[in-house]
Amino acid sequence: MKKIAYIIPGYCESHTRQRGYNKIAKLFETQGIEAVHVDIDWKRKSPEHFSDYAEEFLKVYKKPKGAKVYVLGFSYGATIAFLTAPKTKPDALILCSLSPYFEEDLKDLKASWVRWFRKNFTESDYSFKKLAPKVKSRTYLIVGDKEDKACLVRAKGAREGILGSSLSIAKGAEHKIGQKEYLDAVEGVISKL
């Protein structure tokens, strides 16, 4: 059976600039899963609609008949994976450091984070509570214990909001997908697929 994993990078990141994504691709490949790097055009002029980035992913996403498909996203890439999951219906969704920019999060974010987000995105008020029940994929959440509190709160909220999901806390990991501690947590999830 064919197995494919789509890897969506974080904001302004790519597998050509951050080696962590290539290491994740190798982790998938050691499990017999073909890794597909998703190139998101993060360099568009701002402000942008976040749904434009989601549409970019939907254009490359394919689920061949009978294949198992997995989607892993980091930070804003995790947001794209989450937003598109009701359409793509992957067999498993791996949300690494899901960004805390849903309408439920904004009231608790640092003012500087909200200002940056409003400056760069004209469409920003997605309700996590409204979208979570539409996600039917087996969902794995990962977050580093050294990340900002807002990321930890979002990950724990996602664990509570997505039916049947699990949460792994990467001990010693910051908001860096290529950090050894973070990669160890990713490897633990991939080994369960």
Side-chain angles (χ1 to χ4, degrees):
M1 172 186 299
K2 187 173 182 70
K3 296 179 182 179
I4 304 168
Y6 290 91
I7 302 169
I8 309 171
Y11 188 68
C12 289
E13 294 184 349
S14 77
H15 72 282
T16 59
R17 291 192 298 274
Q18 284 81 20
R19 290 185 307 217
Y21 296 109
N22 295 318
K23 290 177 182 178
I24 289 170
K26 286 185 174 136
L27 293 172
F28 278 117
E29 289 164 1
T30 61
Q31 297 293 320
I33 302 168
E34 176 188 343
V36 177
H37 291 287
V38 179
D39 293 318
I40 300 293
D41 181 10
W42 296 116
K43 300 289 185 186
R44 297 170 182 223
K45 291 181 182 177
S46 33
E48 284 295 329
H49 295 280
F50 208 88
S51 59
D52 293 338
Y53 299 115
E55 288 299 319
E56 241 180 281
F57 171 57
L58 289 173
K59 286 179 184 173
V60 300
Y61 180 85
K62 290 177 181 49
K63 185 172 185 173
K65 188 172 181 160
K68 289 225 178 244
V69 176
Y70 313 104
V71 177
L72 178 145
F74 175 70
S75 193
Y76 277 139
T79 302
I80 290 171
F82 175 76
L83 293 175
T84 58
K87 289 182 182 178
T88 59
K89 297 177 176 48
D91 293 280
L93 191 59
I94 305 170
L95 304 176
C96 302
S97 301
L98 181 62
S99 290
Y101 286 99
F102 295 90
E103 66 182 33
E104 296 87 354
D105 303 322
L106 295 178
K107 66 184 180 341
D108 298 322
L109 289 180
K110 296 174 188 171
S112 61
W113 286 30
V114 174
R115 278 193 304 275
W116 177 87
F117 193 75
R118 295 283 186 216
K119 177 183 169 191
N120 289 285
F121 297 97
T122 57
E123 177 188 340
S124 59
D125 297 330
Y126 294 106
S127 168
F128 184 86
K129 288 180 183 177
K130 289 179 185 173
L131 292 169
K134 297 177 184 178
V135 176
K136 305 298 183 195
S137 302
R138 186 175 36 162
T139 303
Y140 300 92
L141 298 142
I142 302 171
V143 67
D145 71 345
K146 302 291 185 200
E147 294 193 53
D148 190 274
K149 181 183 173 194
C151 294
L152 291 162
V153 169
R154 168 43 49 221
K156 290 174 182 174
R159 165 58 192 99
E160 293 169 10
I162 301 172
L163 188 64
S165 62
S166 65
L167 172 61
S168 298
I169 307 287
K171 300 289 183 207
E174 299 173 21
H175 193 75
K176 296 178 182 175
I177 194 74
Q179 189 177 358
K180 182 192 179 321
E181 294 84 354
Y182 210 111
L183 289 170
D184 288 346
V186 172
E187 182 175 20
V189 168
I190 291 173
S191 70
K192 296 175 189 175
L193 301 177

